[in-house]
Structures are given as C-alpha cells and as structure tokens.
Amino acid sequence: MSSYADEPGRGRYDKSMDLFSRATRVIPSGIYGSKNPGFLVAGEYPYFFTRAEGSRVWDADGNEYIDYMCGFGSQILGYGNAEVDRDALARIGDGDLLPCPPPEMVELAEVLAGEIKGMDWSVFAKNGTDATTLAISLARVHTGKPYVLMAEGAYHGAANWCSSNDYPILKDKAEVRTFPYGDIDALRRLFQELRGLIAAVILTPYHHAVFGDSLMPPEGWYPAVEDLCRRERALFIMDDIRANFRLSYAGSHAHFGANPHMVCMGKAVANGHPLAVLMGRGELKKTAGGFFITGTFWMSAGPIIAALKTLEVLKREGVVEGLQDKGRRFRDGLKQAAASEGYELTVSGPPAIPFVRFSSDPDLYHNQVWASRMAAEGIFVHPHHNMFISHAHSEDDFLRTFEAARRAFAYTREHFGD
Ligand SMILES: Cc1ncc(COP(=O)(O)O)c(C=O)c1O
C-alpha cells in the first residue's frame, strides 16, 4: 500500500476533483446528501470510488484504502463476499426483476420470522427510509392517531417527516414531535400533552445522533417507553437500520430486551445489495395487508437471495459475536495510538459501530485534520460519522491502521500546536 509519504501531496485526488467539477455542471451540488465533499473535508478526500474487495476500497485515482465505512454499514461481511455474490449475481444473470416476486421472497420472510425476536411478517423494500416511512404510516392507520414521537437529532432517513429538510411549505413534520434521547420525564410530558393523539414512538436501539457522541439507552429506558406506549395504545417502532446484526442476530431489540411492535432493517441485511425490510408483530398483519405497499424494484430477486446467504453466513460464522471482539480490539488499539501522541479519545456506541472523537474537541475540528491525514495514509474514516467494523477486517488491517493513526495523531498535534 502506498503511503502519503511516497505521494506528492497535491495530485493524489486529481481524478476525483476533475470528476467533481464536471458533476457540479450536471448534478445538483455535484454529489448530493451525506456524500457531498462538504461532509468530509473538501479537497483532502477522495470523492469517487471505483472498486472494493473485503476490507479494501480503491478511489478513482487508484489509491487503496482500508475502509471503516463499509458502504455506510451495509458491508457487514466485507465488500464482495464471495458466497453472497455468487448466488445473488448468478440470479441477476438469470433475470432479476420479473413480473412477479421470486420464490425466495417467501423463504426469506420465513427465515426472518424464525430469527428476529417477536416479529412475524416482513415487507421488502429498497431503502431504510422506505421501511421507516411505511412503519409510521401503518402505525397511524392502525391506531387512527396522527402523532409520531422521535428523539432529537435521531436519523430515520431522508423523507420529509424525519429529515433535516425543514421548510414550512412541507407539512410532513407537523405531527412529528421530538424529545431528548433517554429523558423519560420529557417523553412522559409529551405523552400527557398529546394524550389520545400518539400513533407511535420510533427509536434507534441506541442513540447515534446525526452529530456527536452515541448514547446507549439508560437503565430502565425500554420498560418505561413500552409502558407509556401501552397506556396510550401507541406503537413502538425500532429503527434497527444502522445497527442491525452488529449487536444481535435476533435484532438489536433482543440485545436490549426491548419489545417493539415493528422493526425496520436495511443496510447490512443483504451485505450491500439493495434491500430494506419492515417486520411486524402478528397483530399488525391485517393493517399491513390492507395498506397499498409497492415499489417497482422492491421484489427484485438478487438482493433477496443476497439476504438469504448473508443471514446464513452471519449465523454459521458467529459474525455478530466476532464483530464485538474486533470492535473492542479496534477501540483499544486506536486509543493507545492516540495516547502515544498525548491525546485522549472518546469512543462511544457499540464496539462494532464506534463513534470516535478527540475528548478535548466535541466540535470535531481535530477529527477533520486527523481523518483527512488518515485518508492520505490509505485509511478511510469519516470525520463526522461513526465507523463500521466488518467481518473482513483482519488483525493485519488493524495493525496497519494503528500505525497510520499514530502518524496522523502526530500530524494533528503539530497542526494544532497541542
Ligand atoms: C437509523 C437509520 N434509519 C434510517 C436510515 C435511512 O436508510 P436509507 O439511507 O437506506 O434510506 C439510516 C441511514 O443511514 C439510518 O442510519
């Protein structure tokens, strides 16, 4: 792997930069959403990637990286897992999007109903946003009530009801109210204020805020939420899209002993093939059955077959438990590398989904310098987002990462004069 020291600093990302300037002419903002360079460190990061394998990705300029974003969490087994892709790509070759669903859709729903705790049925879609948006619609229809409660700073997708698009002309947020995560008194006050009007509370298994540290659920959180929902006859929706299969094979709610009415999954469920799933308890099946649910690509065969294989490998290889161990090893090694350069790191969230920042800098300026230096060292981390550990990350990857991290911490110290 080439390191920054071998590269002329300028020129490393030339193709990315050229592509970006072409993109700005024909694509709004060049690259939209969370992959816009503004969310990384403009000028100091690759913007376009061409290929990936295992734990590695290659950018448009041919630079190689050990990657800790894992396709924003989706590549839980590593990029291009041979078993998953062999079956999925063979099926795509035979015909992916047919007039009616593939038989494997039934098999996948059966497997999920058997494995995901408390859930009886599945609806398949493409993006996590499809699943969360469908969940709140079903909750409103089922309860006949309009309000949805979510935690401040939570991310449930890019639909108007939950995204950062907050324009008065878009009325979708009118009946969505927020509360500080983990504050049961604040939630109780909302239940009092909106008595008789609440359709659902939607939560992520732990709080991975859009900005800042992750928070684990406080003691007694789930029993208290469930009690409030029961009294109000509101539904409890678990948005497991980011965390699924990194905490428990039976769903992250099983890890925390929570009992949601519906569970939203996406990202890792098909190891990077486009699939999201909304699952629910039997008592909601009639409501879901009467609701018009569809999407042109939602029942395509390849991702469904990829999910069946992903679940098989996750279980057979004990991936979930292995990821906890790898995550702890990663966290400890990174903290040690920081300490050797005089920095303390705050690492929050579950071990396989760590959010890393300099303890002295909650505004993440140090993260920006450190992470862009890591990119120059051939390690891809995001300055403002949690990382993801995959089954493909090896001890050798970690050792290289810790070495690069130490140099990047030293660079950061010099940069800020700390
Ligand atoms: C917790 C959570 N919910 C929902 C979503 C939306 O998923 P998608 O981007 O596939 O629509 C995400 C995506 O990051 C997420 O992390």
Side-chain angles (χ1 to χ4, degrees), residues 34-35 72 126-132 154-159 162 202-206 208 239-243 264-267 275-276 385-386 388:
S34 59
K35 295 174 181 75
F72 277 74
K126 285 291 132 203
N127 291 292
T129 309
D130 301 331
T132 54
Y155 187 71
H156 295 297
C162 57
I202 183 165
L203 288 172
T204 51
Y206 70 99
H208 37 75
D239 174 356
D240 200 11
I241 288 160
R242 188 171 310 184
C264 308
M265 299 194 294
K267 291 192 185 283
L275 192 74
H385 198 284
N386 66 260
F388 294 94

PDB file of all heavy atoms in Angstrom, residues 34-35 72 126-132 154-159 162 202-206 208 239-243 264-267 275-276 385-386 388, ligand 1:
ATOM      1  N   SER A  34     -25.286  13.169   2.064  1.00  0.00           N
ATOM      2  CA  SER A  34     -24.208  12.964   3.032  1.00  0.00           C
ATOM      3  C   SER A  34     -22.887  12.573   2.366  1.00  0.00           C
ATOM      4  O   SER A  34     -21.877  12.441   3.046  1.00  0.00           O
ATOM      5  CB  SER A  34     -24.610  11.875   4.031  1.00  0.00           C
ATOM      6  OG  SER A  34     -24.868  10.680   3.322  1.00  0.00           O
ATOM      7  N   LYS A  35     -22.889  12.372   1.042  1.00  0.00           N
ATOM      8  CA  LYS A  35     -21.627  12.038   0.373  1.00  0.00           C
ATOM      9  C   LYS A  35     -21.019  13.253  -0.309  1.00  0.00           C
ATOM     10  O   LYS A  35     -19.999  13.162  -0.989  1.00  0.00           O
ATOM     11  CB  LYS A  35     -21.837  10.872  -0.589  1.00  0.00           C
ATOM     12  CG  LYS A  35     -22.214   9.634   0.214  1.00  0.00           C
ATOM     13  CD  LYS A  35     -22.590   8.436  -0.584  1.00  0.00           C
ATOM     14  CE  LYS A  35     -22.960   7.274   0.317  1.00  0.00           C
ATOM     15  NZ  LYS A  35     -24.264   7.373   0.962  1.00  0.00           N
ATOM     16  N   PHE A  72     -21.359   2.593   4.296  1.00  0.00           N
ATOM     17  CA  PHE A  72     -22.237   3.155   5.341  1.00  0.00           C
ATOM     18  C   PHE A  72     -22.923   2.028   6.137  1.00  0.00           C
ATOM     19  O   PHE A  72     -24.109   2.098   6.438  1.00  0.00           O
ATOM     20  CB  PHE A  72     -23.232   4.158   4.753  1.00  0.00           C
ATOM     21  CG  PHE A  72     -22.599   5.535   4.604  1.00  0.00           C
ATOM     22  CD1 PHE A  72     -21.686   5.793   3.602  1.00  0.00           C
ATOM     23  CD2 PHE A  72     -22.895   6.554   5.508  1.00  0.00           C
ATOM     24  CE1 PHE A  72     -21.073   7.043   3.493  1.00  0.00           C
ATOM     25  CE2 PHE A  72     -22.292   7.808   5.401  1.00  0.00           C
ATOM     26  CZ  PHE A  72     -21.381   8.049   4.395  1.00  0.00           C
ATOM     27  N   LYS A 126     -36.478  -1.140  -0.620  1.00  0.00           N
ATOM     28  CA  LYS A 126     -35.091  -0.896  -1.062  1.00  0.00           C
ATOM     29  C   LYS A 126     -34.281  -0.117  -0.042  1.00  0.00           C
ATOM     30  O   LYS A 126     -33.185  -0.516   0.336  1.00  0.00           O
ATOM     31  CB  LYS A 126     -35.094  -0.116  -2.390  1.00  0.00           C
ATOM     32  CG  LYS A 126     -35.472  -0.935  -3.591  1.00  0.00           C
ATOM     33  CD  LYS A 126     -34.400  -1.965  -3.943  1.00  0.00           C
ATOM     34  CE  LYS A 126     -35.032  -3.304  -4.156  1.00  0.00           C
ATOM     35  NZ  LYS A 126     -34.216  -4.449  -4.006  1.00  0.00           N
ATOM     36  N   ASN A 127     -34.792   1.055   0.374  1.00  0.00           N
ATOM     37  CA  ASN A 127     -34.019   1.908   1.278  1.00  0.00           C
ATOM     38  C   ASN A 127     -34.582   1.852   2.686  1.00  0.00           C
ATOM     39  O   ASN A 127     -35.778   1.592   2.873  1.00  0.00           O
ATOM     40  CB  ASN A 127     -34.064   3.360   0.799  1.00  0.00           C
ATOM     41  CG  ASN A 127     -33.297   3.516  -0.490  1.00  0.00           C
ATOM     42  OD1 ASN A 127     -32.078   3.390  -0.520  1.00  0.00           O
ATOM     43  ND2 ASN A 127     -34.017   3.762  -1.565  1.00  0.00           N
ATOM     44  N   GLY A 128     -33.723   2.161   3.648  1.00  0.00           N
ATOM     45  CA  GLY A 128     -34.188   2.227   5.027  1.00  0.00           C
ATOM     46  C   GLY A 128     -35.344   3.195   5.161  1.00  0.00           C
ATOM     47  O   GLY A 128     -36.304   2.940   5.912  1.00  0.00           O
ATOM     48  N   THR A 129     -35.278   4.312   4.439  1.00  0.00           N
ATOM     49  CA  THR A 129     -36.348   5.310   4.507  1.00  0.00           C
ATOM     50  C   THR A 129     -37.702   4.710   4.102  1.00  0.00           C
ATOM     51  O   THR A 129     -38.735   5.089   4.647  1.00  0.00           O
ATOM     52  CB  THR A 129     -36.014   6.502   3.577  1.00  0.00           C
ATOM     53  OG1 THR A 129     -34.693   6.948   3.869  1.00  0.00           O
ATOM     54  CG2 THR A 129     -36.979   7.655   3.769  1.00  0.00           C
ATOM     55  N   ASP A 130     -37.698   3.790   3.140  1.00  0.00           N
ATOM     56  CA  ASP A 130     -38.956   3.124   2.759  1.00  0.00           C
ATOM     57  C   ASP A 130     -39.555   2.426   3.978  1.00  0.00           C
ATOM     58  O   ASP A 130     -40.765   2.472   4.214  1.00  0.00           O
ATOM     59  CB  ASP A 130     -38.725   2.040   1.679  1.00  0.00           C
ATOM     60  CG  ASP A 130     -38.107   2.571   0.407  1.00  0.00           C
ATOM     61  OD1 ASP A 130     -38.319   3.748   0.086  1.00  0.00           O
ATOM     62  OD2 ASP A 130     -37.398   1.787  -0.269  1.00  0.00           O
ATOM     63  N   ALA A 131     -38.687   1.745   4.732  1.00  0.00           N
ATOM     64  CA  ALA A 131     -39.173   0.939   5.865  1.00  0.00           C
ATOM     65  C   ALA A 131     -39.665   1.831   7.006  1.00  0.00           C
ATOM     66  O   ALA A 131     -40.737   1.586   7.572  1.00  0.00           O
ATOM     67  CB  ALA A 131     -38.064   0.003   6.354  1.00  0.00           C
ATOM     68  N   THR A 132     -38.905   2.886   7.351  1.00  0.00           N
ATOM     69  CA  THR A 132     -39.332   3.726   8.479  1.00  0.00           C
ATOM     70  C   THR A 132     -40.607   4.497   8.116  1.00  0.00           C
ATOM     71  O   THR A 132     -41.503   4.650   8.944  1.00  0.00           O
ATOM     72  CB  THR A 132     -38.222   4.707   8.912  1.00  0.00           C
ATOM     73  OG1 THR A 132     -37.780   5.465   7.770  1.00  0.00           O
ATOM     74  CG2 THR A 132     -37.040   3.986   9.513  1.00  0.00           C
ATOM     75  N   ALA A 154     -32.057  12.317  16.022  1.00  0.00           N
ATOM     76  CA  ALA A 154     -32.036  10.936  15.502  1.00  0.00           C
ATOM     77  C   ALA A 154     -32.135  10.986  13.982  1.00  0.00           C
ATOM     78  O   ALA A 154     -32.697  11.927  13.423  1.00  0.00           O
ATOM     79  CB  ALA A 154     -33.190  10.131  16.076  1.00  0.00           C
ATOM     80  N   TYR A 155     -31.600   9.979  13.316  1.00  0.00           N
ATOM     81  CA  TYR A 155     -31.718   9.898  11.860  1.00  0.00           C
ATOM     82  C   TYR A 155     -32.559   8.678  11.511  1.00  0.00           C
ATOM     83  O   TYR A 155     -32.196   7.549  11.833  1.00  0.00           O
ATOM     84  CB  TYR A 155     -30.332   9.780  11.195  1.00  0.00           C
ATOM     85  CG  TYR A 155     -30.428   9.863   9.689  1.00  0.00           C
ATOM     86  CD1 TYR A 155     -30.743  11.072   9.076  1.00  0.00           C
ATOM     87  CD2 TYR A 155     -30.244   8.746   8.885  1.00  0.00           C
ATOM     88  CE1 TYR A 155     -30.876  11.161   7.695  1.00  0.00           C
ATOM     89  CE2 TYR A 155     -30.356   8.830   7.501  1.00  0.00           C
ATOM     90  CZ  TYR A 155     -30.667  10.049   6.916  1.00  0.00           C
ATOM     91  OH  TYR A 155     -30.797  10.138   5.551  1.00  0.00           O
ATOM     92  N   HIS A 156     -33.698   8.928  10.853  1.00  0.00           N
ATOM     93  CA  HIS A 156     -34.555   7.813  10.433  1.00  0.00           C
ATOM     94  C   HIS A 156     -34.720   7.785   8.916  1.00  0.00           C
ATOM     95  O   HIS A 156     -35.586   7.068   8.419  1.00  0.00           O
ATOM     96  CB  HIS A 156     -35.924   7.904  11.113  1.00  0.00           C
ATOM     97  CG  HIS A 156     -35.869   7.744  12.597  1.00  0.00           C
ATOM     98  ND1 HIS A 156     -35.433   6.580  13.199  1.00  0.00           N
ATOM     99  CD2 HIS A 156     -36.159   8.601  13.612  1.00  0.00           C
ATOM    100  CE1 HIS A 156     -35.477   6.727  14.519  1.00  0.00           C
ATOM    101  NE2 HIS A 156     -35.901   7.938  14.795  1.00  0.00           N
ATOM    102  N   GLY A 157     -33.920   8.593   8.192  1.00  0.00           N
ATOM    103  CA  GLY A 157     -33.982   8.555   6.739  1.00  0.00           C
ATOM    104  C   GLY A 157     -34.156   9.939   6.146  1.00  0.00           C
ATOM    105  O   GLY A 157     -34.115  10.955   6.848  1.00  0.00           O
ATOM    106  N   ALA A 158     -34.375   9.953   4.826  1.00  0.00           N
ATOM    107  CA  ALA A 158     -34.379  11.218   4.092  1.00  0.00           C
ATOM    108  C   ALA A 158     -35.783  11.658   3.665  1.00  0.00           C
ATOM    109  O   ALA A 158     -35.931  12.520   2.812  1.00  0.00           O
ATOM    110  CB  ALA A 158     -33.478  11.096   2.861  1.00  0.00           C
ATOM    111  N   ALA A 159     -36.828  11.069   4.255  1.00  0.00           N
ATOM    112  CA  ALA A 159     -38.188  11.521   3.936  1.00  0.00           C
ATOM    113  C   ALA A 159     -38.466  12.825   4.690  1.00  0.00           C
ATOM    114  O   ALA A 159     -37.827  13.107   5.714  1.00  0.00           O
ATOM    115  CB  ALA A 159     -39.201  10.450   4.331  1.00  0.00           C
ATOM    116  N   CYS A 162     -38.885  13.163   8.625  1.00  0.00           N
ATOM    117  CA  CYS A 162     -37.797  12.950   9.593  1.00  0.00           C
ATOM    118  C   CYS A 162     -36.469  13.565   9.173  1.00  0.00           C
ATOM    119  O   CYS A 162     -35.533  13.572   9.961  1.00  0.00           O
ATOM    120  CB  CYS A 162     -37.601  11.457   9.821  1.00  0.00           C
ATOM    121  SG  CYS A 162     -37.246  10.525   8.313  1.00  0.00           S
ATOM    122  N   ILE A 202     -40.810   6.187  17.636  1.00  0.00           N
ATOM    123  CA  ILE A 202     -39.782   5.495  16.842  1.00  0.00           C
ATOM    124  C   ILE A 202     -38.419   5.793  17.455  1.00  0.00           C
ATOM    125  O   ILE A 202     -38.095   6.951  17.749  1.00  0.00           O
ATOM    126  CB  ILE A 202     -39.853   5.868  15.341  1.00  0.00           C
ATOM    127  CG1 ILE A 202     -38.809   5.058  14.544  1.00  0.00           C
ATOM    128  CG2 ILE A 202     -39.714   7.363  15.078  1.00  0.00           C
ATOM    129  CD1 ILE A 202     -39.022   5.076  13.039  1.00  0.00           C
ATOM    130  N   LEU A 203     -37.661   4.726  17.679  1.00  0.00           N
ATOM    131  CA  LEU A 203     -36.349   4.849  18.332  1.00  0.00           C
ATOM    132  C   LEU A 203     -35.323   4.013  17.588  1.00  0.00           C
ATOM    133  O   LEU A 203     -35.667   2.979  17.011  1.00  0.00           O
ATOM    134  CB  LEU A 203     -36.417   4.270  19.751  1.00  0.00           C
ATOM    135  CG  LEU A 203     -37.169   5.040  20.818  1.00  0.00           C
ATOM    136  CD1 LEU A 203     -37.270   4.181  22.074  1.00  0.00           C
ATOM    137  CD2 LEU A 203     -36.442   6.348  21.137  1.00  0.00           C
ATOM    138  N   THR A 204     -34.076   4.436  17.638  1.00  0.00           N
ATOM    139  CA  THR A 204     -32.991   3.541  17.244  1.00  0.00           C
ATOM    140  C   THR A 204     -32.568   2.766  18.502  1.00  0.00           C
ATOM    141  O   THR A 204     -32.795   3.243  19.616  1.00  0.00           O
ATOM    142  CB  THR A 204     -31.803   4.337  16.666  1.00  0.00           C
ATOM    143  OG1 THR A 204     -31.447   5.383  17.577  1.00  0.00           O
ATOM    144  CG2 THR A 204     -32.166   4.960  15.327  1.00  0.00           C
ATOM    145  N   PRO A 205     -31.949   1.597  18.354  1.00  0.00           N
ATOM    146  CA  PRO A 205     -31.664   0.762  19.537  1.00  0.00           C
ATOM    147  C   PRO A 205     -30.792   1.469  20.568  1.00  0.00           C
ATOM    148  O   PRO A 205     -30.942   1.280  21.762  1.00  0.00           O
ATOM    149  CB  PRO A 205     -30.932  -0.449  18.966  1.00  0.00           C
ATOM    150  CG  PRO A 205     -30.986  -0.342  17.486  1.00  0.00           C
ATOM    151  CD  PRO A 205     -31.568   0.968  17.098  1.00  0.00           C
ATOM    152  N   TYR A 206     -29.857   2.263  20.091  1.00  0.00           N
ATOM    153  CA  TYR A 206     -29.113   3.196  20.938  1.00  0.00           C
ATOM    154  C   TYR A 206     -29.095   4.491  20.121  1.00  0.00           C
ATOM    155  O   TYR A 206     -29.463   4.474  18.945  1.00  0.00           O
ATOM    156  CB  TYR A 206     -27.693   2.670  21.237  1.00  0.00           C
ATOM    157  CG  TYR A 206     -26.802   2.688  20.018  1.00  0.00           C
ATOM    158  CD1 TYR A 206     -25.899   3.713  19.800  1.00  0.00           C
ATOM    159  CD2 TYR A 206     -26.902   1.693  19.047  1.00  0.00           C
ATOM    160  CE1 TYR A 206     -25.110   3.743  18.654  1.00  0.00           C
ATOM    161  CE2 TYR A 206     -26.125   1.715  17.906  1.00  0.00           C
ATOM    162  CZ  TYR A 206     -25.230   2.747  17.721  1.00  0.00           C
ATOM    163  OH  TYR A 206     -24.462   2.793  16.587  1.00  0.00           O
ATOM    164  N   HIS A 208     -27.598   7.040  17.920  1.00  0.00           N
ATOM    165  CA  HIS A 208     -26.470   7.505  17.121  1.00  0.00           C
ATOM    166  C   HIS A 208     -26.895   8.831  16.523  1.00  0.00           C
ATOM    167  O   HIS A 208     -27.544   8.903  15.484  1.00  0.00           O
ATOM    168  CB  HIS A 208     -26.047   6.483  16.060  1.00  0.00           C
ATOM    169  CG  HIS A 208     -27.182   5.728  15.428  1.00  0.00           C
ATOM    170  ND1 HIS A 208     -28.014   6.290  14.506  1.00  0.00           N
ATOM    171  CD2 HIS A 208     -27.607   4.461  15.597  1.00  0.00           C
ATOM    172  CE1 HIS A 208     -28.907   5.391  14.115  1.00  0.00           C
ATOM    173  NE2 HIS A 208     -28.699   4.271  14.771  1.00  0.00           N
ATOM    174  N   ASP A 239     -36.102   1.299  14.910  1.00  0.00           N
ATOM    175  CA  ASP A 239     -35.366   1.536  13.665  1.00  0.00           C
ATOM    176  C   ASP A 239     -33.960   0.951  13.843  1.00  0.00           C
ATOM    177  O   ASP A 239     -33.063   1.583  14.395  1.00  0.00           O
ATOM    178  CB  ASP A 239     -35.310   3.043  13.382  1.00  0.00           C
ATOM    179  CG  ASP A 239     -34.429   3.360  12.179  1.00  0.00           C
ATOM    180  OD1 ASP A 239     -33.815   2.427  11.623  1.00  0.00           O
ATOM    181  OD2 ASP A 239     -34.339   4.544  11.816  1.00  0.00           O
ATOM    182  N   ASP A 240     -33.803  -0.288  13.368  1.00  0.00           N
ATOM    183  CA  ASP A 240     -32.542  -1.028  13.555  1.00  0.00           C
ATOM    184  C   ASP A 240     -31.668  -0.945  12.293  1.00  0.00           C
ATOM    185  O   ASP A 240     -30.796  -1.785  12.095  1.00  0.00           O
ATOM    186  CB  ASP A 240     -32.893  -2.489  13.886  1.00  0.00           C
ATOM    187  CG  ASP A 240     -31.744  -3.223  14.555  1.00  0.00           C
ATOM    188  OD1 ASP A 240     -30.759  -2.575  14.952  1.00  0.00           O
ATOM    189  OD2 ASP A 240     -31.826  -4.463  14.669  1.00  0.00           O
ATOM    190  N   ILE A 241     -31.929   0.043  11.452  1.00  0.00           N
ATOM    191  CA  ILE A 241     -31.291   0.054  10.132  1.00  0.00           C
ATOM    192  C   ILE A 241     -29.769   0.182  10.213  1.00  0.00           C
ATOM    193  O   ILE A 241     -29.042  -0.503   9.502  1.00  0.00           O
ATOM    194  CB  ILE A 241     -31.921   1.176   9.275  1.00  0.00           C
ATOM    195  CG1 ILE A 241     -33.331   0.731   8.882  1.00  0.00           C
ATOM    196  CG2 ILE A 241     -31.079   1.496   8.042  1.00  0.00           C
ATOM    197  CD1 ILE A 241     -34.252   1.832   8.463  1.00  0.00           C
ATOM    198  N   ARG A 242     -29.295   1.030  11.100  1.00  0.00           N
ATOM    199  CA  ARG A 242     -27.831   1.192  11.173  1.00  0.00           C
ATOM    200  C   ARG A 242     -27.171   0.066  11.971  1.00  0.00           C
ATOM    201  O   ARG A 242     -26.066  -0.370  11.672  1.00  0.00           O
ATOM    202  CB  ARG A 242     -27.463   2.526  11.806  1.00  0.00           C
ATOM    203  CG  ARG A 242     -25.974   2.780  11.694  1.00  0.00           C
ATOM    204  CD  ARG A 242     -25.581   4.166  12.094  1.00  0.00           C
ATOM    205  NE  ARG A 242     -26.374   5.198  11.457  1.00  0.00           N
ATOM    206  CZ  ARG A 242     -26.167   6.496  11.587  1.00  0.00           C
ATOM    207  NH1 ARG A 242     -25.164   6.918  12.333  1.00  0.00           N
ATOM    208  NH2 ARG A 242     -26.931   7.383  10.988  1.00  0.00           N
ATOM    209  N   ALA A 243     -27.837  -0.409  13.001  1.00  0.00           N
ATOM    210  CA  ALA A 243     -27.178  -1.328  13.948  1.00  0.00           C
ATOM    211  C   ALA A 243     -27.428  -2.793  13.637  1.00  0.00           C
ATOM    212  O   ALA A 243     -26.796  -3.658  14.231  1.00  0.00           O
ATOM    213  CB  ALA A 243     -27.656  -1.016  15.363  1.00  0.00           C
ATOM    214  N   CYS A 264     -37.508  -2.019  11.768  1.00  0.00           N
ATOM    215  CA  CYS A 264     -37.047  -1.629  10.422  1.00  0.00           C
ATOM    216  C   CYS A 264     -35.601  -2.083  10.266  1.00  0.00           C
ATOM    217  O   CYS A 264     -34.766  -1.800  11.128  1.00  0.00           O
ATOM    218  CB  CYS A 264     -37.077  -0.117  10.263  1.00  0.00           C
ATOM    219  SG  CYS A 264     -38.642   0.632  10.690  1.00  0.00           S
ATOM    220  N   MET A 265     -35.321  -2.757   9.166  1.00  0.00           N
ATOM    221  CA  MET A 265     -33.947  -3.184   8.889  1.00  0.00           C
ATOM    222  C   MET A 265     -33.546  -2.729   7.486  1.00  0.00           C
ATOM    223  O   MET A 265     -34.400  -2.485   6.636  1.00  0.00           O
ATOM    224  CB  MET A 265     -33.824  -4.704   8.985  1.00  0.00           C
ATOM    225  CG  MET A 265     -34.169  -5.223  10.367  1.00  0.00           C
ATOM    226  SD  MET A 265     -33.646  -6.927  10.618  1.00  0.00           S
ATOM    227  CE  MET A 265     -34.694  -7.754   9.485  1.00  0.00           C
ATOM    228  N   GLY A 266     -32.239  -2.624   7.259  1.00  0.00           N
ATOM    229  CA  GLY A 266     -31.750  -2.234   5.933  1.00  0.00           C
ATOM    230  C   GLY A 266     -30.259  -2.485   5.930  1.00  0.00           C
ATOM    231  O   GLY A 266     -29.777  -3.403   6.584  1.00  0.00           O
ATOM    232  N   LYS A 267     -29.521  -1.660   5.244  1.00  0.00           N
ATOM    233  CA  LYS A 267     -28.062  -1.715   5.247  1.00  0.00           C
ATOM    234  C   LYS A 267     -27.518  -3.147   5.219  1.00  0.00           C
ATOM    235  O   LYS A 267     -27.436  -3.753   4.173  1.00  0.00           O
ATOM    236  CB  LYS A 267     -27.521  -0.932   6.447  1.00  0.00           C
ATOM    237  CG  LYS A 267     -27.757   0.587   6.314  1.00  0.00           C
ATOM    238  CD  LYS A 267     -26.974   1.355   7.345  1.00  0.00           C
ATOM    239  CE  LYS A 267     -27.271   2.847   7.338  1.00  0.00           C
ATOM    240  NZ  LYS A 267     -26.633   3.569   6.256  1.00  0.00           N
ATOM    241  N   LEU A 275     -31.603  -3.752  -0.219  1.00  0.00           N
ATOM    242  CA  LEU A 275     -32.788  -4.358   0.388  1.00  0.00           C
ATOM    243  C   LEU A 275     -33.032  -3.726   1.758  1.00  0.00           C
ATOM    244  O   LEU A 275     -32.095  -3.547   2.540  1.00  0.00           O
ATOM    245  CB  LEU A 275     -32.586  -5.873   0.578  1.00  0.00           C
ATOM    246  CG  LEU A 275     -33.866  -6.632   0.923  1.00  0.00           C
ATOM    247  CD1 LEU A 275     -34.770  -6.762  -0.298  1.00  0.00           C
ATOM    248  CD2 LEU A 275     -33.552  -8.021   1.472  1.00  0.00           C
ATOM    249  N   ALA A 276     -34.275  -3.364   2.014  1.00  0.00           N
ATOM    250  CA  ALA A 276     -34.694  -2.964   3.360  1.00  0.00           C
ATOM    251  C   ALA A 276     -35.893  -3.833   3.722  1.00  0.00           C
ATOM    252  O   ALA A 276     -36.566  -4.367   2.836  1.00  0.00           O
ATOM    253  CB  ALA A 276     -35.081  -1.491   3.384  1.00  0.00           C
ATOM    254  N   HIS A 385     -18.818  10.941  11.240  1.00  0.00           N
ATOM    255  CA  HIS A 385     -19.775   9.822  11.248  1.00  0.00           C
ATOM    256  C   HIS A 385     -19.169   8.661  12.023  1.00  0.00           C
ATOM    257  O   HIS A 385     -17.943   8.524  12.059  1.00  0.00           O
ATOM    258  CB  HIS A 385     -20.030   9.389   9.793  1.00  0.00           C
ATOM    259  CG  HIS A 385     -21.270   8.575   9.599  1.00  0.00           C
ATOM    260  ND1 HIS A 385     -21.361   7.253   9.957  1.00  0.00           N
ATOM    261  CD2 HIS A 385     -22.483   8.909   9.082  1.00  0.00           C
ATOM    262  CE1 HIS A 385     -22.570   6.802   9.661  1.00  0.00           C
ATOM    263  NE2 HIS A 385     -23.280   7.795   9.132  1.00  0.00           N
ATOM    264  N   ASN A 386     -20.021   7.810  12.596  1.00  0.00           N
ATOM    265  CA  ASN A 386     -19.462   6.605  13.232  1.00  0.00           C
ATOM    266  C   ASN A 386     -18.798   5.725  12.173  1.00  0.00           C
ATOM    267  O   ASN A 386     -19.103   5.808  10.985  1.00  0.00           O
ATOM    268  CB  ASN A 386     -20.555   5.820  13.973  1.00  0.00           C
ATOM    269  CG  ASN A 386     -21.600   5.227  13.050  1.00  0.00           C
ATOM    270  OD1 ASN A 386     -22.683   5.777  12.902  1.00  0.00           O
ATOM    271  ND2 ASN A 386     -21.279   4.116  12.410  1.00  0.00           N
ATOM    272  N   PHE A 388     -17.729   1.678  10.938  1.00  0.00           N
ATOM    273  CA  PHE A 388     -18.325   0.341  10.988  1.00  0.00           C
ATOM    274  C   PHE A 388     -17.197  -0.677  10.870  1.00  0.00           C
ATOM    275  O   PHE A 388     -16.313  -0.538  10.022  1.00  0.00           O
ATOM    276  CB  PHE A 388     -19.290   0.121   9.830  1.00  0.00           C
ATOM    277  CG  PHE A 388     -20.522   0.991   9.868  1.00  0.00           C
ATOM    278  CD1 PHE A 388     -20.552   2.194   9.188  1.00  0.00           C
ATOM    279  CD2 PHE A 388     -21.650   0.596  10.570  1.00  0.00           C
ATOM    280  CE1 PHE A 388     -21.684   2.994   9.204  1.00  0.00           C
ATOM    281  CE2 PHE A 388     -22.794   1.389  10.592  1.00  0.00           C
ATOM    282  CZ  PHE A 388     -22.812   2.589   9.902  1.00  0.00           C
TER     283      PHE A 388
HETATM  284  C1  LIG B   1     -31.012   4.565  11.774  1.00  0.00           C
HETATM  285  C2  LIG B   1     -31.267   4.826  10.330  1.00  0.00           C
HETATM  286  N1  LIG B   1     -32.526   4.829   9.886  1.00  0.00           N
HETATM  287  C3  LIG B   1     -32.816   5.034   8.600  1.00  0.00           C
HETATM  288  C4  LIG B   1     -31.821   5.260   7.673  1.00  0.00           C
HETATM  289  C5  LIG B   1     -32.175   5.505   6.240  1.00  0.00           C
HETATM  290  O1  LIG B   1     -31.751   4.461   5.447  1.00  0.00           O
HETATM  291  P1  LIG B   1     -31.547   4.703   3.883  1.00  0.00           P
HETATM  292  O2  LIG B   1     -30.410   5.666   3.729  1.00  0.00           O
HETATM  293  O3  LIG B   1     -31.261   3.348   3.323  1.00  0.00           O
HETATM  294  O4  LIG B   1     -32.838   5.268   3.353  1.00  0.00           O
HETATM  295  C6  LIG B   1     -30.487   5.260   8.094  1.00  0.00           C
HETATM  296  C7  LIG B   1     -29.401   5.528   7.145  1.00  0.00           C
HETATM  297  O5  LIG B   1     -28.288   5.849   7.489  1.00  0.00           O
HETATM  298  C8  LIG B   1     -30.203   5.049   9.461  1.00  0.00           C
HETATM  299  O6  LIG B   1     -28.940   5.057   9.916  1.00  0.00           O
END
